[in-house]
């Protein structure tokens, strides 16, 4: 079920020929090695890599669009503080957010729409905090790889009602997942799956499906705690 990845900690240590500064002011692509702010109307194109030492902030309420192949790899910091009026990344379809070694997500108030994988944490990722985030119509709302941790608070995740050819829908946990007030809609698909060595602590949450498969399952998971949670 897991897609093949080039090791991000190696990618982010290398230079590249493209740079977001070469694009028009409202378009971002390539490598980001200095702090910058993404404003309303910004378009994300292709592979975007935020290098260690750089912080990208998305303005409160900003609406960002992207091309189908857009992917954000975070080796530095991606920050959103938009609790009142949420920021949005919306596209017909895109890869999603990938957190590399030492990368950090500090996000409050962001909606991610139509990503293949909403948020993926890779081995050695830094602090990843999602609060008041909606991950909408994502076949794989999150993927937590080994030796990484994902923290969710007041997050809503919904999967598509219909999958494309060859698509699977499940959130796999090889590392550590801590969730409070999570609302997860699996529809007719799998829900949250602990893999070998994975651990999850889910509290005050609602997990539901419509004639779906297992809402929570463990295949060699290390620890699973579910408290004050409705399975529907």
């Amino acid at each position: 079920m897991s897609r093949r990845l080039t090791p991000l900690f190696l990618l982010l240590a290398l230079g590249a020929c493209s740079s977001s500064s070469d694009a028009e002011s409202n378009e971002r692509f390539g490598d980001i090695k200095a702090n910058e702010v993404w404003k309303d109307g910004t378009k994300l194109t292709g592979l975007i890599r935020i290098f260690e030492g750089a912080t990208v902030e998305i303005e409160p309420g900003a609406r960002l669009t992207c091309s189908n192949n857009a992917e954000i790899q975070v080796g530095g910091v991606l920050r959103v503080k938009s609790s009142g009026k949420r920021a949005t990344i919306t596209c017909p379809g895109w890869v999603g957010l990938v957190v590399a070694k030492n990368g950090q997500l500090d996000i409050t108030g962001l909606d991610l729409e139509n990503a293949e994988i909403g948020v993926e944490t890779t081995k050695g990722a830094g602090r990843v905090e999602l609060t008041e985030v909606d991950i909408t119509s994502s076949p794989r709302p999150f993927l937590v790889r080994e030796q990484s941790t994902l923290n969710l608070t007041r997050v809503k995740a919904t999967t598509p009602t219909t999958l494309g050819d060859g698509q699977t829908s499940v959130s796999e946990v090889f590392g550590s997942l801590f969730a409070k007030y999570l609302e997860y809609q699996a529809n007719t698909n799998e829900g949250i799956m602990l893999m070998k060595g994975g651990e999850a602590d889910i509290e005050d949450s609602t997990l539901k499906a419509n004639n779906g498969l297992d809402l929570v399952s463990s295949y060699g998971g290390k620890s699973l705690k579910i408290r004050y949670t409705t399975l529907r």
Side-chain angles (χ1 to χ4, degrees):
M1 294 182 184
S2 301
R3 63 191 178 91
R4 185 184 179 93
L5 284 177
T6 302
L8 296 174
F9 61 90
L10 292 179
L11 284 174
L12 295 174
L14 300 175
C17 59
S18 63
S19 170
S20 61
S21 62
D22 298 330
E24 296 179 1
S25 59
N26 67 336
E27 187 172 306
R28 292 292 180 269
F29 69 91
D31 297 340
I32 297 175
K33 299 181 181 180
N35 296 348
E36 61 180 61
V37 177
W38 291 351
K39 301 177 180 294
D40 186 54
T42 297
K43 182 175 182 179
L44 311 176
T45 305
L47 176 60
I48 300 168
R49 302 188 296 179
I50 303 171
F51 275 64
E52 189 169 355
T55 296
V56 170
E57 296 194 32
I58 300 178
E59 280 194 336
R63 184 177 178 85
L64 281 58
T65 60
C66 57
S67 58
N68 286 347
N69 62 343
E71 177 179 355
I72 305 172
Q73 294 181 358
V74 183
V77 179
L78 179 62
R79 179 174 294 131
V80 183
K81 296 299 179 185
S82 190
S83 182
K85 184 180 180 182
R86 291 189 182 186
T88 304
I89 301 178
T90 180
C91 327
W94 60 301
V95 178
L97 293 176
V98 182
V99 187
K101 183 178 180 181
N102 298 326
Q104 298 180 51
L105 297 185
D106 180 12
I107 293 178
T108 300
L110 177 66
D111 294 339
L112 303 173
E113 299 178 356
N114 303 317
E116 178 64 27
I117 301 177
V119 175
E120 176 178 351
T121 59
T122 67
K123 183 178 179 180
R127 188 75 174 171
V128 180
E129 296 272 1
L130 302 182
T131 303
E132 297 178 16
V133 171
D134 283 7
I135 303 173
T136 305
S137 194
S138 175
R140 304 175 72 183
F142 43 86
L143 170 57
V144 185
R145 294 194 180 273
E146 62 179 0
Q147 296 182 38
S148 71
T149 300
L150 176 61
N151 297 281
L152 307 176
T153 305
R154 294 190 295 280
V155 168
K156 295 181 181 179
T158 63
T159 63
T161 55
T162 303
L163 299 176
D165 293 339
Q167 270 191 323
T168 57
S169 179
V170 63
S171 287
E172 293 173 298
V173 179
F174 296 84
S176 301
L177 171 70
F178 297 94
K180 287 186 177 182
Y181 312 112
L182 169 66
E183 294 185 27
Y184 193 106
Q185 171 58 268
N187 283 306
T188 57
N189 309 306
E190 291 274 5
I192 299 170
M193 182 183 293
L194 267 66
M195 309 304 289
K196 185 176 180 180
E199 61 177 347
D201 189 330
I202 301 170
E203 184 177 359
D204 291 315
S205 297
T206 301
L207 312 178
K208 53 189 176 180
N210 299 320
N211 297 317
L213 303 175
D214 296 333
L215 281 173
V216 182
S217 57
S218 178
Y219 295 87
K222 181 170 64 176
S223 173
L224 174 61
K225 297 178 181 179
I226 302 178
R227 295 168 289 171
Y228 311 112
T229 291
T230 299
L231 306 180
R232 183 178 301 156

